[in-house]
Amino acid sequence: MSKTTYEEFVEQVNRYRIFPFSDLVAEYPSLTAAAADNEWHTGTELDPWLWRIRIVKDGYAAYGKFFGTKASFVHVDAFPLVKVLLSGGTTVEARYRDGLLSTHAYKLYELIREAGNIDSRQLRKAAKLDAKEQKKEYESALVQLQNFGDIVITGAKENDHDGGWSSMCYETSDYWLEQLEQRPDNDIPEAPSIQQARDQISTGLRELCTTEKSYGYFAKKLKLNA
């Protein structure tokens, strides 16, 4: 079976708009399925592990755990729509005030916003959540922010120790979009109303989802039927 190229992966993201990294949605494509025969973790041009960061840096898609605890790619043109639906059109401050965002998550958001871009090790230390027993709280707070579309993964800083895993880098989604808007080749649409976002995302998913099961997953996560 032929191997998938980075360019083919980008084409898939362009087509589906929302493209999971792994088997997140039943009967729906993903990177791990499309590139199952590729050279994973080899550091070559055909290593999809590197593509998850490359596609963000190239400005084609946002990357993060927007739906639960597994990562997905969202095309840059669709991201403002998805973000409105994930956040319900509310600000981080309003959600924190209303008890929808934990204190740890709010603190992490403020640190990320102040830094512009920060890697996970520095972020955890700055938040004073670097004790071993605080790892779960830290990771849960990061997932909260990604589930609301407040932050995105934008890089991976190599571990200083040989053989260690790289550390993810984060930016607020607003900052990431602002940087892209400054590029002459990007024309990112303004954030729509919740109903406009529902209509556009729902129409697109109806055309691309081959089963009601896959459509239903996104409909539930994005509250398309609310």
Side-chain angles (χ1 to χ4, degrees), residues 90-102:
T90 61
T91 64
V92 173
E93 291 76 15
R95 274 179 271 121
Y96 176 60
R97 186 177 60 246
D98 294 341
L100 300 174
L101 200 65
S102 71

Side-chain angles (χ1 to χ4, degrees), residues 108 112 120 123 138-146 151 170:
L108 290 181
I112 295 169
S120 187
L123 177 61
Y138 171 72
E139 293 179 345
S140 176
L142 279 178
V143 169
Q144 275 189 58
L145 292 171
Q146 291 170 79
I151 63 172
Y170 297 93

Side-chain angles (χ1 to χ4, degrees), residues 1-4 31-40 42 46-48 51:
M1 187 176 291
S2 62
K3 293 179 172 61
T4 299
L31 176 57
T32 54
D37 297 314
N38 275 51
E39 301 168 8
W40 287 84
T42 59
L46 290 173
D47 182 358
W51 300 349

Side-chain angles (χ1 to χ4, degrees), residues 65-81:
K65 297 176 180 178
F66 306 121
F67 311 105
T69 58
K70 290 186 177 182
S72 294
F73 305 94
V74 178
H75 190 275
V76 63
D77 290 346
F79 187 75
L81 307 176

Side-chain angles (χ1 to χ4, degrees), residues 168-208:
M168 292 293 96
C169 297
Y170 297 93
E171 295 178 9
T172 67
S173 54
D174 287 342
Y175 180 76
W176 179 68
L177 287 170
E178 285 170 7
Q179 300 307 301
L180 291 182
E181 286 170 352
Q182 294 175 15
R183 297 185 184 183
D185 57 335
N186 274 337
D187 185 20
I188 300 169
E190 294 184 5
S193 68
I194 292 178
Q195 192 56 53
Q196 288 173 325
R198 281 184 185 139
D199 292 343
Q200 291 184 53
I201 292 294
S202 178
T203 298
L205 287 171
R206 282 290 185 192
E207 294 175 354
L208 293 166

